[in-house]
Amino acid sequence: MASAASAQAAPATAPKAEVIHWWTSGGESAAVKQVAQAYRNAGGVWIDTAIAGGDQSRAVTINRIVGGNPPTAAQFNTSKQFLDVIEQDMLNNVDGVAQAHDWDRILPSPIIEVIKVQGHYYAVPLNIHMQTWFWYSKAAFQKAGIAKEPGSMPEFFAALDKLKAAGIIPLAHGGQSWQETILFSAVLANLGGREMYLKVLRDRDQATLNSAAFRQILQTFKRLKSYVDPNSPGRNWNDATAMVISGKAGFQIMGDWAKGEFTNARQVAGRHYGCIAGMGPASPYLIQGDVFVFPKTSDPAALKAQHLLAGVVAQPELQVGFSKLKGSIPVRSDVDVSSLDLCAQKGIAIIKDRSRQLGVSEVYLTPDQNGALQDILTAYWNMNIAVDKVQRSIANALKY
């Protein structure tokens, strides 16, 4: 929350920004404080409204816009969620900031394709997350006798087997539907490769969805369940990360926001834990990012606050400082990233290869399609359902 002292110190005319976000874990909370302080340093007053859970946070934002009491700004992810709010004329564009910072040139295309609609930019991107990193405990590897990190899916399963034999939980998983979708995406990207990933999620190609190769993806996804502990259902992602931090579990497959938890626990990449962006040199790098959107308003004071915040978020120094704590990498390609850690450097090197840049499922699917896929996957994960039935259900859900 903006402190009373900071509010009193600011002039009465200082721009006030109420910002809704869902950065509530330890690492996330430390990162968003960087944004708040940068806004205060620029002369503004930050009013923090943190709401746990992305779906809940976005719902509160939209309900408040519809109800005529919008926040100054709100956190969103890069996804098709933008289309609904833009089509309903709920957001102000940020074309001025985009032109000033040359976004058409410096931003990755999977980000531009989501936040630029009909020639206008509608969100200020802060960072890039990759959704399907493989995190592992160095201590757990040592105890299980794993000499080197896996470089293929068969090697990954061999490492899981060694962890299980050593009495370590092989795979830390938070049993929530969105986390199961991340596991599925990791298998689809790393086992199926770029071409199958796009045929399934972007093209929704029925021949691919009904193929033996896609059935193998689903079977491999379900195979991961045998390496997860029985207390997994309902667990938060950061609690699963804590299992890897403590060495109780060997691996977690999670976005690079998990790195913020390692950092917050004072663990060092390469010394206490390892990070694998993908199983092989051509594995897809599944991009999503955190952005700020600015609800429609004509109020001069609110517009002033929005313009100030948009400019602050676009600053290279803030993007680097935020990513250090959040676990992400800066969205800008023209910033000095030499101070970022080993895992961030891996991601920055990979993202330079445009052929490895792909969006997450929410970039290609509508919210309804993504929700249907998520429901099918989590039911398959948690229940005894024949893979043929699951395959038909997915093909039908993604038919149109």
Side-chain angles (χ1 to χ4, degrees):
M1 302 291 285
S3 69
S6 67
Q8 288 168 3
T13 55
K16 291 184 179 179
E18 183 198 0
V19 182
I20 293 179
H21 64 86
W22 62 83
W23 290 313
T24 56
S25 76
E28 292 173 330
S29 180
V32 75
K33 285 174 183 172
Q34 295 267 315
V35 187
Q37 190 57 52
Y39 189 70
R40 294 187 194 106
N41 292 347
V45 176
W46 176 279
I47 301 168
D48 197 281
T49 302
I51 298 168
D55 291 342
Q56 294 88 333
S57 182
R58 284 188 294 269
V60 168
T61 296
I62 291 170
N63 287 339
R64 283 190 48 184
I65 295 172
V66 172
N69 180 32
T72 313
Q75 176 198 2
F76 266 61
N77 285 141
T78 46
S79 72
K80 294 231 179 191
Q81 298 153 352
F82 279 104
L83 295 180
D84 285 346
V85 288
I86 292 167
E87 286 170 0
Q88 294 175 48
D89 199 27
M90 290 184 176
L91 301 179
N92 284 329
N93 73 54
V94 291
D95 290 340
V97 177
Q99 290 164 6
H101 292 274
D102 199 11
W103 286 358
D104 283 339
R105 182 180 63 84
I106 68 171
L107 297 187
S109 55
I111 301 288
I112 292 176
E113 287 163 9
V114 174
I115 68 172
K116 189 176 186 181
V117 179
Q118 295 182 347
H120 296 285
Y121 281 97
Y122 285 96
V124 180
L126 181 55
N127 62 355
I128 291 173
H129 277 302
M130 204 284 276
Q131 194 181 63
T132 52
W133 283 84
F134 293 70
W135 307 98
Y136 65 88
S137 162
K138 291 271 191 174
F141 266 37
Q142 188 172 10
K143 185 178 176 183
I146 301 169
K148 67 181 184 71
E149 64 181 35
S152 67
M153 289 300 282
E155 288 180 10
F156 172 56
F157 278 103
L160 291 173
D161 287 333
K162 284 189 174 182
L163 289 161
K164 182 182 274 190
I168 298 167
I169 296 168
L171 183 62
H173 178 60
Q176 297 169 332
S177 57
W178 68 271
Q179 298 189 61
E180 272 118 46
T181 301
I182 283 180
L183 292 186
F184 166 77
S185 297
V187 174
L188 179 59
N190 284 284
L191 192 60
R194 177 186 175 89
E195 184 178 356
M196 177 177 279
Y197 186 89
L198 288 173
K199 279 187 173 294
V200 168
L201 295 176
R202 183 192 65 188
D203 305 335
R204 304 187 302 283
D205 178 70
Q206 288 293 302
T208 302
L209 289 165
N210 287 294
S211 67
F214 185 60
R215 188 177 308 118
Q216 185 189 1
I217 300 293
L218 293 171
Q219 289 168 328
T220 304
F221 162 69
K222 184 62 181 270
R223 182 182 170 192
L224 290 173
K225 179 74 184 290
S226 64
Y227 297 99
V228 170
D229 69 294
N231 295 321
S232 169
R235 179 186 289 144
N236 289 325
W237 68 267
N238 50 312
D239 294 325
T241 308
M243 294 167 65
V244 179
I245 290 171
S246 68
K248 183 180 179 182
F251 282 99
Q252 182 188 21
I253 301 174
M254 183 51 58
D256 46 15
W257 50 88
K259 184 153 60 76
E261 299 303 298
F262 288 100
T263 301
N264 202 45
R266 303 190 182 282
Q267 292 206 347
V268 177
R271 186 189 308 167
H272 303 104
Y273 68 95
C275 50
I276 307 168
M279 297 297 169
S283 59
Y285 197 79
L286 306 186
I287 291 175
Q288 70 180 120
D290 293 308
V291 301
F292 283 121
V293 299
F294 300 91
K296 197 85 170 180
T297 180
S298 56
D299 176 64
L303 286 169
K304 184 179 178 183
Q306 288 183 343
H307 292 155
L308 181 64
L309 181 57
V312 165
V313 172
Q315 291 173 354
E317 300 81 8
L318 174 63
Q319 294 202 358
V320 173
F322 181 85
S323 282
K324 279 183 184 177
L325 296 171
K326 184 67 161 58
S328 51
I329 61 176
V331 73
R332 299 177 62 125
S333 59
D334 60 344
V335 298
D336 180 3
V337 294
S338 58
S339 63
L340 295 180
D341 66 30
L342 170 75
C343 302
Q345 298 295 347
K346 283 185 180 182
I348 289 161
I350 290 168
I351 207 168
K352 289 176 181 174
D353 181 353
R354 289 182 175 269
S355 71
R356 294 182 68 176
Q357 295 179 10
L358 290 178
V360 299
S361 63
E362 292 172 299
V363 167
Y364 303 113
L365 302 177
T366 66
D368 285 349
Q369 289 168 335
N370 199 66
L373 175 62
Q374 194 163 278
D375 288 347
I376 295 164
L377 290 172
T378 203
Y380 178 45
W381 179 264
N382 287 293
M383 294 187 279
N384 186 20
I385 306 174
V387 66
D388 290 353
K389 182 178 180 182
V390 173
Q391 188 170 10
R392 286 194 302 271
S393 295
I394 291 175
N396 287 331
L398 303 186
K399 188 174 284 186
Y400 302 107

